[in-house]
Amino acid sequence: MALVGVDDDAGAVVLAALRAIGDRLDEIEPAAVADEPDAVHRLRTTVRRLRSVLAVYGSLLDASEVDEVRRRYRKLGRRLGAVRDIEVRLLVAEAALQDAAASSTFDTGALVRVTAGIVAETTASHQLAHREFTEHQERPAAARRRAALGDLLAHAPTARPADTATRAVLDALLAREVRRAVMRASGVDATSAAVRLHAVRRAARRLRYAAEALAEGAGDTFSARALRLAAAGERIQDVLGGHRDQSLFAEYLQGSASVAAPSEQDRAVLERLAAAARRRAAERISDLDPAVHELRRAERDWLPL
């Protein structure tokens, strides 16, 4: 009987995590197609988890199959992103407009008109983006995407309890991801370009999902240490995500004020709302330094098993 190597055992652990993600994809996808509340967000998050786990631990699996799955689910992630970004804009807009109405410092008529315009435009954009997503789901490419994931999962053995040697392999791969996230975050602050902030956010998100994938169900020291990494990544992700949401909303409002050419009163409301969104973005980014320090502490705690 052929011997099973440490890398094979580590790969089986990763495949077990991927199977759980695959089950969640199968569960959520119909709800996202039906546009049930929060379903697109949950599906997008699960797709990101899948791609993050493959990015970090894919070297333990068949390279060609990993590349195929990553490529196909990258396309799905982009389509979901087009829908979810509009959903987020509406959520941010609703909160901002409620604050504006409560302040009693806006021209009431102009605020009502602006609110109606934002809701109508965003709703129409969401309907279009979701329709494009659902149409894609009906094409053969969607079935081929799930089949590619099924092929990857079908060829793997059942995971056994991870011993010290197996965990050392996984530890090393996750340690590489920690270093990558810390390197991306080094020297980044509120003055950094948006593209650099986005790169930090993506690295933190990938670290979070990769750490959570291994921590789930472990219930031991390994799990606790992995969850500290995940929490540090999530904090950076939240800070930069909140900053991005408010910044994009400010850009949208500024564009509406200049392109739509509303009345002077409406334009003044849009510009005030945009300024408020920029202030909220600045407040969010002020939490970045403590979040990066937390990531560095988590990195120091991530010692070899």
Side-chain angles (χ1 to χ4, degrees), residues 51-292:
R51 297 186 61 243
S52 295
V53 172
L54 289 174
V56 176
Y57 308 112
S59 60
L60 298 171
L61 309 174
D62 181 272
S64 62
E65 291 185 340
V66 167
D67 290 344
E68 178 74 1
V69 172
R70 290 186 69 190
R71 179 181 67 81
R72 289 187 178 278
Y73 279 87
R74 181 187 302 115
K75 292 181 180 179
L76 175 60
R78 288 171 178 166
R79 291 185 178 90
L80 291 167
V83 182
R84 179 58 184 169
D85 285 349
I86 299 170
E87 291 180 348
V88 171
R89 184 202 302 166
L90 184 58
L91 291 172
V92 173
E94 288 173 346
L97 292 167
Q98 287 175 2
D99 288 346
S103 71
S104 302
T105 62
F106 285 80
D107 180 296
T108 302
L111 184 59
V112 169
R113 289 191 299 272
V114 165
T115 298
I118 290 174
V119 171
E121 191 279 331
T122 304
T123 300
S125 296
H126 177 266
Q127 290 173 343
L128 176 60
H130 189 269
R131 184 165 61 249
E132 291 175 348
F133 158 65
T134 56
E135 288 174 353
H136 173 78
Q137 292 299 97
E138 296 171 355
R139 297 173 187 166
R144 289 195 292 268
R145 179 185 65 234
R146 188 59 182 88
L149 178 57
D151 289 343
L152 176 64
L153 301 179
H155 304 320
T158 302
R160 300 183 297 179
D163 60 17
T164 301
T166 299
R167 291 186 177 186
V169 173
L170 299 171
D171 185 293
L173 292 173
L174 194 52
R176 183 176 64 184
E177 199 61 27
V178 179
R179 290 192 293 271
R180 176 178 178 271
V182 170
M183 185 178 301
R184 291 285 176 89
S186 297
V188 173
D189 57 26
T191 64
S192 299
V195 65
R196 189 173 180 193
L197 293 175
H198 186 56
V200 174
R201 183 185 177 213
R202 290 180 59 188
R205 183 176 66 217
R206 194 163 96 172
L207 171 63
R208 171 195 172 184
Y209 293 154
E212 286 178 346
L214 293 189
E216 287 182 1
D220 56 15
T221 304
F222 183 87
S223 173
R225 290 163 59 244
L227 286 176
R228 283 197 292 274
L229 287 179
E234 183 179 11
R235 185 177 179 189
I236 291 179
Q237 180 187 354
D238 287 347
V239 168
L240 293 179
H243 173 264
R244 178 179 182 272
D245 293 345
Q246 295 295 337
S247 297
L248 290 179
F249 184 53
E251 291 176 9
Y252 166 76
L253 293 168
Q254 202 67 55
S256 298
S258 59
V259 175
S263 68
E264 181 177 345
Q265 292 87 348
D266 293 2
R267 188 162 52 250
V269 168
L270 286 166
E271 289 174 348
R272 284 186 62 187
L273 290 171
R278 286 191 290 271
R279 287 194 298 272
R280 289 191 294 271
E283 291 171 359
R284 294 297 290 137
I285 201 71
S286 67
D287 293 330
L288 181 58
D289 282 348
V292 173

